[in-house]
Amino acid sequence: MSAPPRVVITGAGAVSAAGLGAPALWQAMRDARGLIASHTVSFDPTPAKPRLAASLAGFDPAAHFDERRLILLDRVSQFALVAAREAVAQAGIDFTRDDIGERTAVIVGTGIGGELSRDEQCQKLYHDGSPRIHPMSIVRLMPNAPASQIGMEFGAMGPTFAVSSACASANHALSQALGLLRSGQAEVALAGGSEACLSYATFKAWEAMRVLADDTCRPFSRQRRGLVLGEGAGMFVLETLAHAQARGATILAELAGAGMSADAGDIVAPSATGAARAMTRALADARLDPADIDYINAHGTGTPANDPTECAAIRMAFGADAQVLAVSSTKGVHGHALGAAGALELVAVLGALREGVVPPTANHVEADPQCDLDIVPNVARERRVRAALSNSFAFGGLNAVLALRAA
């Protein structure tokens, strides 16, 4: 039996609190430039209560979409489309040539979908007493809207669908794209994640769980007080290696493997065993040994439970090799974008592989004995990165890990 085709990344795009573009996000992560600030939601009965988020300020949808198109687009789809356009432009791929659109898949992860449209229309219905809501509400809020909109824009007629697995959504989406390309069901894929859910209801739901920080996000630090919500999108052009080489594409990195697992335990408490299982499976799928990995972009939410559990999982999966790994979380910069988190963090991994620079863990104050790995505090570090893992773990006990190799 022949080996499955290798899969490479030829384009990357991002929308984040750093602004538009993957380069802007990568630079912010390299510089540990905090993007977390006070955030005001459109409808808030308690406006005196400050809320923190990593949100994109000043985004003008009309600069990217005409009025007729905007009627159909929630912010989550707007972000996904803008990021996809950037990725396609960098990849230099023309979907009208050689019928490639018929062999292109679109898979987009989102944890919540069109939350702002849902929130806006619920305000009209329940708060304002309006008997009618927007006729395009369903097509704006449905979780598959970003994937469908991207497919329509680029004429992608291959498998197109959404993945929704909370904070593992983007990595699950990229894993599914990898599988489709390996199986021959597609030659090209547009995959990633998008989230735009900074509504009053979302904040209240997370506040009720008592996991939101009141100062900033401090992954792996003894002073960590919880996560900070973020928003954004990351989209990537994936191709089989043969297809990319045939058209002379510039290869950013190889998506060498993916590992997925379910804890089948607690709905919210993370499991070191489940996370380790996903990392081990990603290594095996990529045919990499633990010693081959130079960097792990950690899930690193900054919550009391996640960070020490993830460190224990890394030690479980890597053994003695954990001592020489560089491990960092970039959520102290761009916040926790939930279903888009893995997509934003893939930008960090691509930057590390291409530039030989490990982005730091921002906002670190004091080491935590339970997080006793090399977490690259506060300052980026030059280091050759031959291969890397990107971790995403989700409520529901769902784990998705990507393995990447330098081009």
Side-chain angles (χ1 to χ4, degrees), residues 144-379:
N144 63 297
S148 295
Q149 291 289 349
I150 289 171
M152 289 185 290
E153 173 144 334
F154 295 104
M157 292 171 278
T160 297
F161 53 92
V163 174
S164 188
S165 51
C167 306
S169 298
N171 275 12
H172 271 134
L174 288 154
S175 299
Q176 293 303 301
L178 174 65
L180 289 171
L181 268 60
R182 284 176 169 177
S183 72
Q185 294 188 65
E187 283 187 86
V188 177
L190 286 163
S194 186
E195 204 79 271
C197 63
L198 301 181
S199 69
Y200 175 68
T202 299
F203 277 105
K204 293 300 290 183
W206 283 95
E207 287 169 5
M209 293 197 76
R210 300 175 185 246
V211 294
L212 292 186
D214 58 3
D215 54 353
T216 191
C217 180
R218 302 184 186 279
F220 303 118
S221 178
R222 185 196 289 269
Q223 291 80 8
R224 67 187 181 279
R225 298 168 66 92
L227 63 88
V228 174
L229 295 174
E231 65 176 354
M235 291 300 302
F236 305 87
V237 176
L238 279 57
E239 306 179 55
T240 61
L241 177 61
H243 187 271
Q245 289 177 331
R247 68 181 192 86
T250 298
I251 295 170
L252 304 182
E254 179 183 357
L255 181 53
M260 296 171 278
S261 70
D263 297 345
D266 193 281
I267 194 72
V268 293
S271 162
T273 302
R277 186 179 297 117
M279 285 185 267
T280 299
R281 288 176 177 173
L283 291 171
D285 188 47
R287 301 183 181 182
L288 291 167
D289 294 322
D292 296 326
I293 303 297
D294 296 307
Y295 171 54
I296 296 179
N297 184 280
H299 188 55
T301 59
T303 61
N306 174 88
D307 297 2
T309 302
E310 185 168 11
C311 288
I314 291 170
R315 289 199 173 278
M316 199 178 295
F318 281 81
D321 292 306
Q323 288 297 118
V324 295
L325 279 171
V327 179
S328 71
S329 169
T330 53
K331 286 185 173 71
V333 173
H334 53 70
H336 193 347
L338 306 180
L344 298 184
E345 288 153 13
L346 183 51
V347 173
V349 176
L350 291 177
L353 289 165
R354 291 179 61 77
E355 296 188 14
V357 175
V358 174
T361 300
N363 307 321
H364 190 262
V365 178
E366 184 181 356
D368 184 340
Q370 295 186 83
C371 304
D372 57 347
L373 298 173
D374 178 4
I375 53 93
V376 194
N378 297 322
V379 179

